[in-house]
Amino acid sequence: MQDDAYYMKRAYEQALKSYEEGGCPIGSVLVDGEGNIIGAGHNMRVQSDSPILHGEMSALTNAGRQKSYLKTTLYTTLSPCMMCSGTIVQFKIPRVVVGENDNFGGNEDFLRERGVAITLLDDPSCKELMSKFIAEKPELWNEDIAEE
Amino acid sequence: MQDDAYYMKRAYEQALKSYEEGGCPIGSVLVDGEGNIIGAGHNMRVQSDSPILHGEMSALTNAGRQKSYLKTTLYTTLSPCMMCSGTIVQFKIPRVVVGENDNFGGNEDFLRERGVAITLLDDPSCKELMSKFIAEKPELWNEDIAEE
């Protein structure tokens, strides 16, 4: 079992990979109760023409079918949107570690009210990469969060 | 533009296809402002080893990237789970037509409170297919909604 900074670094590497591919730089890893990364992924809007594969959804997809998420922790470079927050609640993921919520956020209370523990790392690397992306590709970012 | 029963029939055909493939029989179609079906799909847990591709998520995936969902209507044979409800809110889909909520439900108020119009058709075919599936494969169904 590694610490939160270790797993966030893995999520950040996913985000950076997506940025370098021309996609939205949001990454995520799903960690099981023994500290194994069972799924890692990044936003796939550009890469797979997919509106639903946000970083968190990609990590969950790549983890495949699970009988239970009760011992997992989800790491995400950016605070989860309503789709990903609904998914966290539906899947009963008990803990979410968030890289930053300066560039996007607002669903932390929704999650906390439903018993999800939130740890906010306020990570400068996550913040910087996301800020750079939003400045460079505001249209792509707005499309990703359905803002017009 | 067809009526709600027409589009629900298309969603039901998706559900039936999934049932015949050995999967979870929940289907969905996304319809644009002109009445065109721009995405159709069914639950893909069994078929693609995917935990996130519920019927609604498959329809959204198959519709591909959209700039806006403000003129769309989402049809689903079964009342949306928290993941799919979160997605509907995030994507700002203004109207959802639900085949039935006898076999699963509970998020209608969450959606209504966020401005989503819900039409419940209480469709006997949707109900019957879903009931049959739950009786035949309770473990698969529980896995799909993360019940243990």
Side-chain angles (χ1 to χ4, degrees):
Chain A
M1 181 71 81
Q2 305 283 338
D3 64 8
D4 283 344
Y6 172 87
Y7 295 113
M8 188 53 69
K9 188 75 196 302
R10 304 290 84 77
Y12 176 79
E13 287 164 357
Q14 288 289 326
L16 189 60
K17 180 170 174 289
S18 186
Y19 178 81
E20 288 166 352
E21 290 169 357
C24 301
I26 304 142
S28 177
V29 297
L30 183 68
V31 176
D32 72 11
E34 281 75 49
N36 305 303
I37 294 175
I38 57 172
H42 55 68
N43 188 296
M44 296 285 279
R45 175 170 294 270
V46 169
Q47 294 92 331
S48 295
D49 192 34
S50 170
I52 70 161
L53 286 177
H54 283 192
E56 302 92 317
M57 306 300 270
S58 284
L60 289 164
T61 295
N62 294 335
R65 288 169 60 175
Q66 301 287 327
K67 289 282 179 201
S68 169
Y69 294 86
L70 291 178
K71 293 180 177 171
T72 63
T73 300
L74 185 68
Y75 291 79
T76 174
T77 56
L78 185 66
S79 184
C81 79
M82 194 64 245
M83 169 175 69
C84 297
S85 297
T87 304
I88 289 159
V89 169
Q90 181 64 38
F91 286 24
K92 299 177 183 161
I93 296 170
R95 181 170 181 251
V96 176
V97 182
V98 174
E100 60 113 348
N101 66 358
D102 277 11
N103 286 298
F104 183 83
N107 298 306
E108 291 88 349
D109 283 347
F110 169 87
L111 290 165
R112 283 194 198 98
E113 283 163 12
R114 285 154 182 85
V116 180
I118 307 282
T119 301
L120 177 64
L121 297 186
D122 206 33
D123 182 281
S125 303
C126 294
K127 237 180 270 195
E128 191 187 352
L129 178 61
M130 195 63 202
S131 297
K132 185 166 66 166
F133 164 71
I134 293 172
E136 288 171 355
K137 297 184 178 174
E139 281 194 15
L140 176 56
W141 172 233
N142 285 337
E143 182 190 310
D144 199 56
I145 53 172
E147 287 291 337
E148 291 177 82
Chain B
M1 179 72 80
Q2 305 285 336
D3 64 7
D4 284 346
Y6 171 87
Y7 295 114
M8 188 54 68
K9 188 77 197 300
R10 304 289 85 77
Y12 175 81
E13 287 165 357
Q14 288 289 326
L16 189 61
K17 179 169 175 288
S18 186
Y19 177 82
E20 288 166 352
E21 291 169 357
C24 301
I26 304 141
S28 177
V29 297
L30 183 68
V31 176
D32 71 12
E34 281 76 50
N36 305 303
I37 295 176
I38 57 172
H42 56 67
N43 188 298
M44 296 286 280
R45 175 170 293 271
V46 169
Q47 293 92 330
S48 295
D49 192 35
S50 171
I52 69 161
L53 285 176
H54 283 192
E56 301 91 318
M57 306 300 269
S58 284
L60 289 164
T61 295
N62 294 336
R65 289 169 59 176
Q66 300 287 328
K67 289 281 179 200
S68 169
Y69 295 87
L70 290 178
K71 293 180 177 170
T72 64
T73 300
L74 185 70
Y75 291 79
T76 174
T77 57
L78 185 65
S79 184
C81 80
M82 194 64 245
M83 169 175 68
C84 297
S85 297
T87 304
I88 289 159
V89 170
Q90 181 65 38
F91 286 25
K92 300 178 184 160
I93 296 171
R95 181 170 181 248
V96 177
V97 181
V98 174
E100 61 114 349
N101 65 359
D102 278 11
N103 286 297
F104 183 83
N107 297 307
E108 290 88 349
D109 283 348
F110 169 86
L111 289 166
R112 282 194 200 99
E113 284 163 11
R114 285 157 182 83
V116 181
I118 307 282
T119 301
L120 177 65
L121 297 186
D122 206 34
D123 182 280
S125 302
C126 294
K127 239 182 268 195
E128 190 188 351
L129 179 61
M130 195 63 202
S131 297
K132 185 166 68 165
F133 165 71
I134 293 174
E136 287 171 357
K137 297 184 176 173
E139 281 193 15
L140 176 57
W141 172 233
N142 285 335
E143 182 189 310
D144 199 56
I145 51 171
E147 286 292 336
E148 292 180 81

